[in-house]
PDB file of all heavy atoms in Angstrom:
ATOM      1  N   GLY F  79      13.007   2.030 -87.964  1.00 96.00           N
ATOM      2  CA  GLY F  79      12.915   2.158 -89.404  1.00 96.00           C
ATOM      3  C   GLY F  79      13.822   3.200 -90.036  1.00 96.00           C
ATOM      4  O   GLY F  79      13.691   3.498 -91.213  1.00 96.00           O
ATOM      5  N   ASN F  80      14.761   3.743 -89.258  1.00 96.00           N
ATOM      6  CA  ASN F  80      15.643   4.791 -89.781  1.00 96.00           C
ATOM      7  C   ASN F  80      16.898   4.260 -90.461  1.00 96.00           C
ATOM      8  O   ASN F  80      17.488   4.934 -91.301  1.00 96.00           O
ATOM      9  CB  ASN F  80      16.061   5.746 -88.657  1.00 96.00           C
ATOM     10  CG  ASN F  80      14.876   6.449 -88.043  1.00 96.00           C
ATOM     11  OD1 ASN F  80      13.942   6.817 -88.746  1.00 96.00           O
ATOM     12  ND2 ASN F  80      14.899   6.619 -86.741  1.00 96.00           N
ATOM     13  N   TYR F  81      17.331   3.073 -90.073  1.00 97.00           N
ATOM     14  CA  TYR F  81      18.585   2.510 -90.578  1.00 97.00           C
ATOM     15  C   TYR F  81      18.335   1.152 -91.229  1.00 97.00           C
ATOM     16  O   TYR F  81      17.366   0.457 -90.913  1.00 97.00           O
ATOM     17  CB  TYR F  81      19.604   2.357 -89.444  1.00 97.00           C
ATOM     18  CG  TYR F  81      20.015   3.688 -88.878  1.00 97.00           C
ATOM     19  CD1 TYR F  81      19.359   4.231 -87.782  1.00 97.00           C
ATOM     20  CD2 TYR F  81      21.040   4.422 -89.463  1.00 97.00           C
ATOM     21  CE1 TYR F  81      19.708   5.469 -87.277  1.00 97.00           C
ATOM     22  CE2 TYR F  81      21.407   5.663 -88.969  1.00 97.00           C
ATOM     23  CZ  TYR F  81      20.730   6.182 -87.879  1.00 97.00           C
ATOM     24  OH  TYR F  81      21.092   7.409 -87.389  1.00 97.00           O
ATOM     25  N   LEU F  82      19.249   0.798 -92.124  1.00 98.00           N
ATOM     26  CA  LEU F  82      19.185  -0.485 -92.801  1.00 98.00           C
ATOM     27  C   LEU F  82      20.514  -1.192 -92.626  1.00 98.00           C
ATOM     28  O   LEU F  82      21.578  -0.575 -92.779  1.00 98.00           O
ATOM     29  CB  LEU F  82      18.887  -0.291 -94.289  1.00 98.00           C
ATOM     30  CG  LEU F  82      18.752  -1.549 -95.146  1.00 98.00           C
ATOM     31  CD1 LEU F  82      17.567  -2.403 -94.675  1.00 98.00           C
ATOM     32  CD2 LEU F  82      18.583  -1.184 -96.613  1.00 98.00           C
ATOM     33  N   SER F  83      20.449  -2.450 -92.278  1.00 98.00           N
ATOM     34  CA  SER F  83      21.641  -3.294 -92.176  1.00 98.00           C
ATOM     35  C   SER F  83      21.604  -4.268 -93.340  1.00 98.00           C
ATOM     36  O   SER F  83      20.612  -4.972 -93.536  1.00 98.00           O
ATOM     37  CB  SER F  83      21.621  -4.046 -90.849  1.00 98.00           C
ATOM     38  OG  SER F  83      22.582  -5.079 -90.863  1.00 98.00           O
ATOM     39  N   VAL F  84      22.676  -4.295 -94.117  1.00 98.00           N
ATOM     40  CA  VAL F  84      22.791  -5.212 -95.246  1.00 98.00           C
ATOM     41  C   VAL F  84      23.995  -6.110 -94.989  1.00 98.00           C
ATOM     42  O   VAL F  84      25.111  -5.615 -94.848  1.00 98.00           O
ATOM     43  CB  VAL F  84      22.968  -4.461 -96.583  1.00 98.00           C
ATOM     44  CG1 VAL F  84      23.146  -5.447 -97.727  1.00 98.00           C
ATOM     45  CG2 VAL F  84      21.798  -3.532 -96.846  1.00 98.00           C
ATOM     46  N   THR F  85      23.758  -7.396 -94.896  1.00 98.00           N
ATOM     47  CA  THR F  85      24.859  -8.345 -94.779  1.00 98.00           C
ATOM     48  C   THR F  85      25.061  -8.962 -96.151  1.00 98.00           C
ATOM     49  O   THR F  85      24.143  -9.548 -96.715  1.00 98.00           O
ATOM     50  CB  THR F  85      24.569  -9.438 -93.736  1.00 98.00           C
ATOM     51  OG1 THR F  85      24.350  -8.814 -92.471  1.00 98.00           O
ATOM     52  CG2 THR F  85      25.729 -10.422 -93.636  1.00 98.00           C
ATOM     53  N   VAL F  86      26.263  -8.779 -96.687  1.00 98.00           N
ATOM     54  CA  VAL F  86      26.607  -9.365 -97.976  1.00 98.00           C
ATOM     55  C   VAL F  86      27.659 -10.436 -97.712  1.00 98.00           C
ATOM     56  O   VAL F  86      28.657 -10.186 -97.032  1.00 98.00           O
ATOM     57  CB  VAL F  86      27.094  -8.308 -98.994  1.00 98.00           C
ATOM     58  CG1 VAL F  86      28.278  -7.524 -98.485  1.00 98.00           C
ATOM     59  CG2 VAL F  86      27.414  -8.936-100.340  1.00 98.00           C
ATOM     60  N   THR F  87      27.409 -11.628 -98.204  1.00 98.00           N
ATOM     61  CA  THR F  87      28.354 -12.733 -98.018  1.00 98.00           C
ATOM     62  C   THR F  87      29.063 -12.977 -99.336  1.00 98.00           C
ATOM     63  O   THR F  87      28.429 -13.243-100.359  1.00 98.00           O
ATOM     64  CB  THR F  87      27.622 -13.997 -97.538  1.00 98.00           C
ATOM     65  OG1 THR F  87      26.928 -13.687 -96.326  1.00 98.00           O
ATOM     66  CG2 THR F  87      28.608 -15.130 -97.271  1.00 98.00           C
ATOM     67  N   ILE F  88      30.398 -12.833 -99.286  1.00 98.00           N
ATOM     68  CA  ILE F  88      31.189 -12.976-100.511  1.00 98.00           C
ATOM     69  C   ILE F  88      32.058 -14.219-100.433  1.00 98.00           C
ATOM     70  O   ILE F  88      32.271 -14.781 -99.359  1.00 98.00           O
ATOM     71  CB  ILE F  88      32.085 -11.738-100.759  1.00 98.00           C
ATOM     72  CG1 ILE F  88      33.189 -11.644 -99.706  1.00 98.00           C
ATOM     73  CG2 ILE F  88      31.255 -10.465-100.817  1.00 98.00           C
ATOM     74  CD1 ILE F  88      34.317 -10.708-100.095  1.00 98.00           C
ATOM     75  N   ASN F  89      32.561 -14.625-101.578  1.00 97.00           N
ATOM     76  CA  ASN F  89      33.589 -15.659-101.637  1.00 97.00           C
ATOM     77  C   ASN F  89      34.929 -14.922-101.562  1.00 97.00           C
ATOM     78  O   ASN F  89      35.414 -14.403-102.560  1.00 97.00           O
ATOM     79  CB  ASN F  89      33.484 -16.467-102.932  1.00 97.00           C
ATOM     80  CG  ASN F  89      32.258 -17.330-102.946  1.00 97.00           C
ATOM     81  OD1 ASN F  89      31.964 -18.006-101.969  1.00 97.00           O
ATOM     82  ND2 ASN F  89      31.518 -17.305-104.033  1.00 97.00           N
ATOM     83  N   ALA F  90      35.482 -14.851-100.365  1.00 98.00           N
ATOM     84  CA  ALA F  90      36.730 -14.120-100.151  1.00 98.00           C
ATOM     85  C   ALA F  90      37.912 -14.972-100.585  1.00 98.00           C
ATOM     86  O   ALA F  90      37.987 -16.154-100.267  1.00 98.00           O
ATOM     87  CB  ALA F  90      36.867 -13.740 -98.685  1.00 98.00           C
ATOM     88  N   VAL F  91      38.824 -14.338-101.312  1.00 97.00           N
ATOM     89  CA  VAL F  91      39.998 -15.071-101.806  1.00 97.00           C
ATOM     90  C   VAL F  91      41.307 -14.558-101.229  1.00 97.00           C
ATOM     91  O   VAL F  91      42.330 -15.229-101.337  1.00 97.00           O
ATOM     92  CB  VAL F  91      40.062 -15.058-103.354  1.00 97.00           C
ATOM     93  CG1 VAL F  91      38.882 -15.810-103.944  1.00 97.00           C
ATOM     94  CG2 VAL F  91      40.121 -13.649-103.892  1.00 97.00           C
ATOM     95  N   SER F  92      41.294 -13.354-100.599  1.00 96.00           N
ATOM     96  CA  SER F  92      42.533 -12.829-100.024  1.00 96.00           C
ATOM     97  C   SER F  92      42.247 -11.717 -99.037  1.00 96.00           C
ATOM     98  O   SER F  92      41.166 -11.095 -99.052  1.00 96.00           O
ATOM     99  CB  SER F  92      43.449 -12.282-101.120  1.00 96.00           C
ATOM    100  OG  SER F  92      42.914 -11.083-101.650  1.00 96.00           O
ATOM    101  N   LYS F  93      43.227 -11.454 -98.193  1.00 95.00           N
ATOM    102  CA  LYS F  93      43.135 -10.340 -97.249  1.00 95.00           C
ATOM    103  C   LYS F  93      43.085  -9.021 -98.005  1.00 95.00           C
ATOM    104  O   LYS F  93      42.332  -8.110 -97.635  1.00 95.00           O
ATOM    105  CB  LYS F  93      44.321 -10.369 -96.293  1.00 95.00           C
ATOM    106  CG  LYS F  93      44.301  -9.261 -95.249  1.00 95.00           C
ATOM    107  CD  LYS F  93      45.525  -9.346 -94.353  1.00 95.00           C
ATOM    108  CE  LYS F  93      45.531  -8.284 -93.284  1.00 95.00           C
ATOM    109  NZ  LYS F  93      45.391  -6.928 -93.728  1.00 95.00           N
ATOM    110  N   LEU F  94      43.853  -8.906 -99.067  1.00 97.00           N
ATOM    111  CA  LEU F  94      43.867  -7.685 -99.871  1.00 97.00           C
ATOM    112  C   LEU F  94      42.475  -7.393-100.437  1.00 97.00           C
ATOM    113  O   LEU F  94      42.015  -6.248-100.422  1.00 97.00           O
ATOM    114  CB  LEU F  94      44.900  -7.794-100.996  1.00 97.00           C
ATOM    115  CG  LEU F  94      45.024  -6.577-101.907  1.00 97.00           C
ATOM    116  CD1 LEU F  94      45.462  -5.360-101.124  1.00 97.00           C
ATOM    117  CD2 LEU F  94      45.997  -6.874-103.035  1.00 97.00           C
ATOM    118  N   GLN F  95      41.794  -8.420-100.927  1.00 97.00           N
ATOM    119  CA  GLN F  95      40.438  -8.258-101.443  1.00 97.00           C
ATOM    120  C   GLN F  95      39.520  -7.704-100.356  1.00 97.00           C
ATOM    121  O   GLN F  95      38.769  -6.753-100.583  1.00 97.00           O
ATOM    122  CB  GLN F  95      39.903  -9.599-101.946  1.00 97.00           C
ATOM    123  CG  GLN F  95      38.453  -9.551-102.397  1.00 97.00           C
ATOM    124  CD  GLN F  95      37.813 -10.926-102.480  1.00 97.00           C
ATOM    125  OE1 GLN F  95      38.153 -11.829-101.722  1.00 97.00           O
ATOM    126  NE2 GLN F  95      36.897 -11.086-103.425  1.00 97.00           N
ATOM    127  N   LEU F  96      39.568  -8.285 -99.159  1.00 98.00           N
ATOM    128  CA  LEU F  96      38.719  -7.829 -98.060  1.00 98.00           C
ATOM    129  C   LEU F  96      39.075  -6.407 -97.642  1.00 98.00           C
ATOM    130  O   LEU F  96      38.191  -5.580 -97.416  1.00 98.00           O
ATOM    131  CB  LEU F  96      38.840  -8.776 -96.864  1.00 98.00           C
ATOM    132  CG  LEU F  96      38.227 -10.155 -97.035  1.00 98.00           C
ATOM    133  CD1 LEU F  96      38.512 -11.019 -95.814  1.00 98.00           C
ATOM    134  CD2 LEU F  96      36.737 -10.071 -97.296  1.00 98.00           C
ATOM    135  N   ASP F  97      40.371  -6.110 -97.547  1.00 97.00           N
ATOM    136  CA  ASP F  97      40.802  -4.761 -97.170  1.00 97.00           C
ATOM    137  C   ASP F  97      40.277  -3.728 -98.152  1.00 97.00           C
ATOM    138  O   ASP F  97      39.737  -2.688 -97.752  1.00 97.00           O
ATOM    139  CB  ASP F  97      42.329  -4.674 -97.108  1.00 97.00           C
ATOM    140  CG  ASP F  97      42.932  -5.428 -95.934  1.00 97.00           C
ATOM    141  OD1 ASP F  97      42.182  -5.813 -95.012  1.00 97.00           O
ATOM    142  OD2 ASP F  97      44.160  -5.645 -95.950  1.00 97.00           O
TER     143      ASP F  97
END
Side-chain angles (χ1 to χ4, degrees):
N80 298 322
Y81 295 93
L82 181 63
S83 167
V84 177
T85 301
V86 57
T87 303
I88 68 164
N89 290 314
V91 295
S92 71
K93 181 181 181 306
L94 180 62
Q95 175 198 32
L96 290 176
D97 289 346

